[in-house]
Amino acid sequence: MREAFKAMGYKAEIEFLPWQRAVATAKESSEVAGYFPEYPAELEGFTLSPSIGTGPLGLILRKGAPVPQPTADALRALKLGVVSGYVNAVPVAAAIAAGLKPEGVADDNTNIRKLAAGRIDAAEIDQYVFAHILKTDPRLADVKNDVVFALPLEDKTLHVAFNQTPYGKKLAAIFAEGLAKVDIKGLQQKYFAMAR
């Protein structure tokens, strides 16, 4: 995202907020143009940018736990943790439509802790986010060997969600033009190589 704006002579300012607060702030603020990353979805008050990459969405389990089948019926039998407000992988959404009542929390870190403590059977998370959190959050050092990314469910495209204010519309157009000038896959590979 930064590179796309940089290609157009702009510098992106990023603020990290809890998910639902980030979405509300981007929707209601005249000084914030949008939020990211967002999965493809129908979003009231926002327009999605072209894809800025992909993220493998799936389930984390306790190490050694049996891996369920990626079907609505199998997932419905789990005590499943999700982050409130996130878009779910297709099999998880199907399980919810079939009666699964997931446990919603404010962030992925909380789900990792709940899973390690045995309070849930599985949690839905992006594989890259999971690896990043385990590497960077010292509060999870005592559980990082107890949980694993075990069941990939869907590789989702990632986007910037721009609001419908004049400012948001202007930056959406600038961003789309800049994004066409950068090597998205190359940047993603370079980023993950440096993060190891």
Side-chain angles (χ1 to χ4, degrees):
M1 199 256 322
R2 285 185 173 132
E3 291 299 318
F5 277 120
K6 185 177 173 184
M8 298 300 292
Y10 286 75
K11 181 180 179 187
E13 291 184 25
I14 299 169
E15 181 179 1
F16 293 90
L17 299 171
W19 184 252
Q20 291 185 315
R21 193 164 125 215
V23 174
T25 299
K27 189 172 188 177
E28 298 165 3
S29 173
S30 60
E31 298 176 2
V32 176
Y35 68 93
F36 77 101
E38 180 60 89
Y39 296 131
E42 292 293 323
L43 302 171
E44 185 180 323
F46 292 96
T47 300
L48 291 181
S49 72
S51 174
I52 60 171
T54 61
L57 189 58
L59 298 184
I60 54 173
L61 305 170
R62 283 186 302 282
K63 190 178 279 182
V67 178
Q69 292 296 310
T71 65
D73 283 341
L75 298 180
R76 209 164 43 125
L78 298 175
K79 191 171 188 180
L80 181 67
V82 299
V83 175
S84 298
Y86 279 15
V87 172
N88 302 108
V90 170
V92 172
I96 292 169
L100 170 68
K101 300 219 181 322
E103 293 194 18
V105 296
D107 58 51
D108 290 305
N109 304 51
T110 301
N111 269 336
I112 294 169
R113 276 229 167 273
K114 285 177 71 174
L115 179 62
R119 293 172 42 211
I120 55 176
D121 301 320
E124 184 179 35
I125 191 169
D126 177 289
Q127 184 176 6
Y128 298 142
V129 171
F130 176 61
H132 175 76
I133 289 172
L134 288 186
K135 184 176 181 178
T136 61
D137 188 342
R139 296 168 298 175
L140 296 174
D142 61 325
V143 301
K144 70 180 182 180
N145 295 319
D146 300 335
V147 292
V148 294
F149 188 86
L151 182 62
L153 294 173
E154 185 177 0
D155 200 30
K156 287 195 174 277
T157 57
L158 304 171
H159 305 265
V160 178
F162 288 97
N163 63 33
Q164 295 297 299
T165 65
Y167 180 59
K169 289 177 181 180
K170 175 185 173 186
L171 288 183
I174 291 166
F175 179 78
E177 188 177 340
L179 192 61
K181 297 179 179 185
V182 299
D183 175 11
I184 299 166
K185 286 185 180 180
L187 285 171
Q188 192 171 12
Q189 289 172 348
K190 180 180 175 184
Y191 173 78
F192 288 120
M194 289 181 350
R196 288 188 188 133

